[in-house]
Amino acid sequence: MKRNIVIAVVAAAALVGGGTATAIGVSGGEGGGSGSVSSPAVRAGDDDGRDDDGRGERVSGEVTAADAIAAALKHTPGIAVSAELHDDGSWEVEVLGRGDSWRSVRVDPGSGKVLGAWADYEDDAGEVRAALKGASVSAQEAAEVAGAKGTVVSVELDDDGDLGWEAETRGSSGGERDWRVDVRSGEVSVERGDDGGDSADD
């Protein structure tokens, strides 16, 4: 709540002074790398759709996980291994490129434009390629089928033991649920250990 008030005060001051307020965010997730990303001006009274704990009460923008993956792969060809919606509202897609090269690609949730990309350093490229060798369902397809269960906020490859895509969805009332998408059949099932939550039917 304090964050919303501060943004509203800064935006109001900028508007009274005849200027605009531009939010600057620094990307620096687990994959490393940093850069500044400008977002549209924030106006007093705007609701950023977030709860007090910083998590979105809804996914902002129109770009789905599947859309973000498609945009990332168009910009950075390769194999998408994960996509995650960050607290700042942007998507981060991890792409395995040629050889052992990894790239993290940030995608704007409203326009689907790529905001930036940087090198990631992982040592499991060979394992991931071997795991996906017999797969017929991509991360993008997994996100699409899991989307029938709720709004997908993340999808990633789980290659420990039983190979599959793990997808997390958020229901209309904010509850989250984990799903598993089979890499060969595309069948969606509740992830083991998930004791329930919102789904698309709630």
Side-chain angles (χ1 to χ4, degrees):
M1 184 62 78
K2 291 178 183 175
R3 181 171 160 269
N4 289 342
I5 293 170
V6 170
I7 289 173
V9 168
V10 170
L15 291 174
V16 167
T20 58
T22 302
I24 303 294
V26 177
S27 62
E30 294 175 9
S34 65
S36 62
V37 178
S38 295
S39 63
V42 179
R43 288 180 290 279
D46 279 359
D47 179 8
D48 69 354
R50 296 182 188 277
D51 291 331
D52 290 344
D53 64 0
R55 297 197 66 135
E57 57 190 43
R58 66 180 187 280
V59 176
S60 59
E62 300 296 326
V63 177
T64 65
D67 295 336
I69 293 169
L73 291 177
K74 184 175 180 181
H75 180 272
T76 306
I79 301 168
V81 180
S82 71
E84 181 181 2
L85 185 68
H86 283 262
D87 287 343
D88 68 2
S90 68
W91 287 99
E92 182 174 342
V93 181
E94 284 191 24
V95 178
L96 174 58
R98 291 183 179 165
D100 293 341
S101 69
W102 286 92
R103 303 282 288 175
S104 285
V105 183
R106 281 281 175 131
V107 179
D108 184 275
S111 67
K113 291 181 180 178
V114 171
L115 299 172
W118 60 90
D120 235 343
Y121 301 96
E122 305 284 346
D123 59 3
D124 58 351
E127 296 169 24
V128 170
R129 286 190 194 283
L132 288 174
K133 192 170 184 180
S136 56
V137 177
S138 67
Q140 182 177 352
E141 292 165 333
E144 288 172 350
V145 297
K149 303 295 185 180
T151 301
V152 177
V153 293
S154 73
V155 61
E156 66 180 325
L157 180 67
D158 177 12
D159 58 354
D160 294 331
D162 186 19
L163 182 67
W165 294 104
E166 289 181 349
E168 183 178 340
T169 60
R170 187 174 299 144
S172 57
S173 61
E176 294 176 351
R177 194 156 201 187
D178 296 323
W179 305 90
R180 188 165 195 85
V181 180
D182 190 278
V183 296
R184 292 177 179 82
S185 68
E187 181 181 343
V188 182
S189 57
V190 176
E191 179 76 327
R192 286 192 298 268
D194 188 346
D195 58 1
D198 268 0
S199 69
D201 299 328
D202 291 346

